Amino acid sequence: FNQKADAVAWGRQKDAETDRAGVQVDTRELETTTVGDILRRYRDEVVARKRSQPVEDYVVSRLLRQPFSVLTLAEMSAAPFAAYRDRRARTVSGSTIRRELGILQHAFDIARREWAIPLTTNPIKDVKKPSPGRPRTRRLQEGEFERLVAACEECRNDLIEPFIRFAVETGMRRGEITRVRWEQIDLDRRTLHIPETKNGHPRTIPLTRGAVGTLRALDTLKSKRAFPLSDNAFKCAWRRLQARSGVR
């Protein structure tokens, strides 16, 4: 196929032909395999190879604690996932819900296409996804950075303040900063080389004097990473910091 769209259309056509032909499949496996079984295998075989493994591991762990994880594949429908969407909508953004449903949908797609699980449909495709919302354009206002730094004095983790300072100086994403390794940093030339970014391409970031000063002050040289924090650890600390500083 010259284009992905052509391949997708061909696949749908073949699926439709199979349905019309009434091909019989052995569905006994659906009665003994649970949603949790699919998620655990997906975590171990698919997520483990992703650059976003720490984040997706956390999401899968959350999904495994939900009531739908004990349903067999024969029992599942779109309803319990729609109910999960509605519960999550009370506390998190639409983008977060879309990300979680996306992991579920991909897990079921992999199970059907690559693991020979006899699923005839993917229930997540029948669940209406919430709007992702507008892209965040928030910028620090006058005095807010100072309030954040002052609130860092109450943080139990000494890395939170330098993390924030480094983020402001470089404009890097949270996930990018947590993955920065000392071997990628040239303090003399004031550069940071990121071998693989979100879009899959390497880039070299020029470091300001403030960013270099922050790195020189770190006491993490014995660690491979400059900021040995997990994404989730910083996210939790950031929420507490927002509450203390009043910066939203």
Side-chain angles (χ1 to χ4, degrees):
F1 297 99
N2 293 325
Q3 296 183 353
K4 180 181 177 181
D6 295 334
V8 172
W10 178 86
R12 289 174 178 166
Q13 179 183 346
K14 291 301 178 183
D15 286 343
E17 290 174 357
T18 300
D19 291 341
R20 287 195 298 270
V23 175
Q24 297 297 313
V25 296
D26 187 349
T27 60
R28 286 176 294 181
E29 188 174 3
L30 301 181
E31 298 172 357
T32 58
T33 304
T34 68
V35 173
D37 293 333
I38 296 297
L39 284 172
R40 280 185 284 270
R41 184 174 176 182
Y42 180 77
R43 177 194 61 198
D44 297 340
E45 298 184 15
V46 180
V47 173
R49 301 195 301 267
K50 293 186 177 184
R51 287 189 294 116
S52 57
Q53 177 190 6
V55 176
E56 292 202 25
D57 268 348
Y58 177 78
V59 175
V60 172
S61 295
R62 177 181 183 82
L63 296 173
L64 283 169
R65 296 194 297 270
Q66 304 309 311
F68 57 66
S69 69
V70 300
L71 294 176
T72 67
L73 300 184
E75 296 172 321
M76 73 174 184
S77 65
F81 301 107
Y84 173 75
R85 174 204 60 198
D86 295 341
R87 290 196 304 272
R88 290 290 276 160
R90 300 170 191 155
T91 56
V92 300
S93 68
S95 296
T96 297
I97 299 171
R98 289 174 67 90
R99 188 181 306 116
E100 294 173 351
L101 292 177
I103 288 175
L104 280 165
Q105 181 169 320
H106 191 228
F108 292 135
D109 280 343
I110 291 291
R112 182 176 62 85
R113 294 198 309 262
E114 299 187 13
W115 301 339
I117 304 294
L119 287 168
T120 57
T121 60
N122 188 327
I124 307 302
K125 292 182 179 179
D126 293 328
V127 177
K128 184 178 180 181
K129 313 301 189 295
S131 170
R134 295 180 179 180
R136 188 170 175 81
T137 57
R138 176 76 158 84
R139 297 292 184 272
L140 286 173
Q141 303 300 312
E142 183 177 356
E144 289 185 333
F145 177 72
E146 290 74 16
R147 284 157 55 191
L148 285 170
V149 170
C152 284
E153 295 179 2
E154 298 181 39
C155 289
R156 290 173 291 181
N157 193 319
D158 294 335
L159 286 175
I160 302 303
E161 181 180 340
F163 193 108
I164 291 173
R165 290 184 180 275
F166 191 76
V168 170
E169 292 288 341
T170 62
M172 292 173 63
R173 300 181 179 93
R174 179 184 68 239
E176 288 181 324
I177 296 177
T178 58
R179 291 192 295 270
V180 168
R181 301 169 72 90
W182 283 112
E183 64 194 43
Q184 301 167 345
I185 300 169
D186 189 328
L187 291 176
D188 295 328
R189 295 183 179 180
R190 288 168 44 190
T191 59
L192 165 61
H193 179 72
I194 302 179
E196 191 172 10
T197 60
K198 187 175 183 179
N199 60 20
H201 302 296
R203 67 181 173 128
T204 298
I205 300 174
L207 299 175
T208 64
R209 287 187 173 84
V212 171
T214 297
L215 290 171
R216 289 189 186 279
L218 288 175
D219 187 26
T220 59
L221 290 175
K222 294 181 180 180
S223 173
K224 292 182 179 180
R225 292 186 294 146
F227 297 90
L229 284 169
S230 69
D231 277 8
N232 191 58
F234 179 78
K235 188 187 297 184
C236 293
W238 174 250
R239 288 171 179 165
R240 292 190 292 268
L241 192 65
Q242 284 183 303
R244 288 197 298 269
S245 66
V247 177
R248 299 290 180 177

